[in-house]
Amino acid sequence: MEKFDLHIKGIKKSFGDKAVLKDIDVTIKDGEFVTLLGPSGCGKTTLLRIIAGFEKADEGAVILGGEDISKKSPAKRDINTVFQSYALFPHLNVYNNIAFGLKSKKVPKDEIDKRVKKMMEVVNITDFAKEMPATLSGGQKQRVALARALVNEPDILLLDEPLSALDANLRKKLQTELREVQRKTDTTFIMVTHDQDEAIAVSDRILVMYQGKLVQDGSPEDVYEHPVNRFVANFMGECNILECGKVSDKVVRCAIGELVVEKTPTWSNVNCSGGVAIRMEDIHVCTEGEHFENNVFHATIKERIFRGDYWELHADFGPLTLRVMTDPDQIYDPGDEVELYMEPQYLQVLED
Ligand code: ATP
């Protein structure tokens, strides 16, 4: 185990009779950028608060670098938190906001000056050193909050929806900056978000939570390309889900016919017993002369929607309609007859 790996061990938490965290067990490696991703109410913030020490788990432990820190107060943990609301001290200028923690720890003055200036450079706010928080924009405030947390050189930085109060463009810019700051400081970042695009943009690893459970743990590519169940498939972006029954280990049957898949379903072979997901960008519209061994189906284009950088086609198979993405130069009109190919590697056999 590395020095500052964080082991969240068998954490359970209820509020009244409501189980909010149901046996969360995961290790976050030193220096990783991990996001806790999930819909409102799934327990992300509660888990973050347990890591920070603001909340106590009913069962389980928080272990940092081999040491059980579950009973330590938040101030005694080398963990800092950046909140959505920034929580800057309104009566202190930017420099003093960042220096505050070091001053209270009685760090020598010249050392404070060196660290504060360095951190202001890292988050790009050197020009604002003398400004008061009230004069700053949302993005600038968030940078100050980040610098104030990182100047203490915590083992872990927790970020609770840090960008959600910002407009879409600034949010994208700060996502890139957040990633850069994390690399420069080589600190473990654990961020809570309910925005899958944000999680994909910044993370080394995404922990998808649903109803108090950790349902998938993987890289952004893995979670997007290989969702384990219906919830993750839909939550990670628009997805077609086909209701299927199992025919054999690598063949399933849905309403439009038999599909060859790569993974053996865990569900049984009764009719319509499980789901197979395919993203709209992974359905291929065959051009003349193209030939595939299997998974080719005839459909009629019902609708074509312009989405800026692609077309969304609604392909009607009779019993069902699938959404298909095509390039802007691939024009199909409603009424066109097409052959659609679904490559086995893109058909994700779900757990449910
Ligand atoms: P959001 O994205 O909306 O913040 P979340 O995934 O972070 O959601 P939590 O804030 O962890 O979810 O809350 C999980 C559940 O626990 C919710 O149903 C919430 O109402 C409940 N809850 C959280 N804190 C408390 C509390 N102190 N007392 C009672 N119930 C609570």
Side-chain angles (χ1 to χ4, degrees):
M1 189 187 240
E2 299 233 14
K3 198 172 161 212
F4 298 124
D5 285 359
L6 177 75
H7 185 187
I8 298 161
K9 192 177 166 197
I11 295 283
K12 292 185 187 169
K13 176 75 183 171
S14 297
F15 290 111
D17 55 6
K18 187 172 180 198
V20 169
L21 295 174
K22 303 167 187 166
D23 204 4
I24 304 286
D25 206 297
V26 65
T27 297
I28 293 169
K29 291 207 186 77
D30 183 24
E32 265 190 318
F33 196 141
V34 170
T35 46
L36 304 177
L37 174 69
S40 185
C42 71
K44 321 178 281 296
T45 303
T46 304
L47 183 58
L48 205 73
R49 288 171 59 76
I50 288 172
I51 298 170
F54 298 126
E55 199 79 68
K56 276 209 159 38
D58 300 333
E59 279 180 49
V62 178
I63 294 165
L64 179 60
E67 183 196 357
D68 186 344
I69 58 166
S70 313
K71 294 201 169 71
K72 277 190 173 178
S73 69
K76 294 247 163 65
R77 302 183 185 197
D78 280 331
I79 297 176
N80 274 38
T81 307
V82 171
F83 299 96
Q84 180 189 342
S85 58
Y86 320 127
L88 300 179
F89 305 115
H91 59 290
L92 297 180
N93 68 19
V94 166
Y95 182 99
N96 287 322
N97 254 285
I98 300 170
F100 186 85
L102 299 178
K103 280 184 185 164
S104 20
K105 281 192 207 152
K106 308 242 176 325
V107 174
K109 223 172 164 191
D110 50 345
E111 162 92 15
I112 293 180
D113 193 54
K114 212 168 74 189
R115 280 166 67 176
V116 171
K117 283 184 175 151
K118 184 180 157 225
M119 204 41 74
M120 285 198 299
E121 264 174 41
V122 170
V123 304
N124 227 341
I125 47 168
T126 306
D127 294 346
F128 306 102
K130 295 204 169 81
E131 301 270 345
M132 299 303 282
T135 67
L136 302 176
S137 69
Q140 288 160 350
K141 281 185 196 160
Q142 196 51 279
R143 288 192 183 100
V144 179
L146 200 56
R148 191 181 58 177
L150 285 169
V151 81
N152 298 311
E153 296 173 354
D155 294 337
I156 297 174
L157 186 69
L158 305 176
L159 304 110
D160 192 0
E161 303 258 8
L163 309 178
S164 61
L166 308 173
D167 68 56
N169 282 339
L170 183 58
R171 201 173 167 143
K172 281 220 163 105
K173 187 166 178 283
L174 280 189
Q175 285 168 4
T176 314
E177 288 186 17
L178 208 54
R179 187 74 185 131
E180 280 170 14
V181 169
Q182 192 265 340
R183 289 216 175 102
K184 275 187 203 161
T185 56
D186 201 22
T187 306
T188 308
F189 276 29
I190 305 175
M191 183 173 93
V192 158
T193 182
H194 58 262
D195 179 336
Q196 76 281 3
D197 289 336
E198 188 155 291
I200 288 173
V202 301
S203 319
D204 293 315
R205 191 169 151 209
I206 298 178
L207 306 179
V208 187
M209 291 181 66
Y210 183 54
Q211 296 182 337
K213 286 190 186 150
L214 187 60
V215 288
Q216 193 161 359
D217 171 356
S219 67
E221 297 89 326
D222 195 32
V223 174
Y224 183 82
E225 297 288 349
H226 307 290
V228 293
N229 61 21
R230 278 166 210 259
F231 167 74
V232 181
N234 283 317
F235 195 71
M236 294 306 294
E238 292 190 45
C239 211
N240 295 292
I241 294 185
L242 298 153
E243 301 301 327
C244 296
K246 182 170 147 189
V247 174
S248 63
D249 276 0
K250 298 286 185 285
V251 179
V252 296
R253 184 181 296 121
C254 69
I256 56 174
E258 287 190 353
L259 291 166
V260 174
V261 293
E262 286 197 338
K263 194 173 126 192
T264 305
T266 49
W267 15 278
S268 65
N269 59 357
V270 291
N271 277 343
C272 291
S273 52
V276 170
I278 185 158
R279 298 219 174 266
M280 54 197 274
E281 64 267 32
D282 293 330
I283 299 180
H284 174 73
V285 186
C286 300
T287 50
E288 229 178 287
E290 267 185 317
H291 175 74
F292 298 99
E293 298 258 300
N294 44 44
N295 295 1
V296 176
F297 301 94
H298 186 83
T300 308
I301 302 301
K302 209 162 66 172
E303 185 121 41
R304 184 186 73 188
I305 303 164
F306 183 57
R307 297 282 189 199
D309 49 356
Y310 68 92
W311 290 107
E312 178 181 325
L313 306 177
H314 292 188
D316 182 17
F317 293 83
L320 56 88
T321 299
L322 297 182
R323 282 166 309 156
V324 179
M325 184 190 279
T326 59
D327 292 338
D329 58 349
Q330 266 189 302
I331 312 260
Y332 296 93
D333 291 313
D336 281 356
E337 305 281 317
V338 290
E339 302 291 321
L340 297 178
Y341 173 55
M342 300 183 222
E343 198 177 332
Q345 65 160 320
Y346 296 127
L347 285 163
Q348 300 307 315
V349 176
L350 305 173
E351 284 170 359
D352 56 354

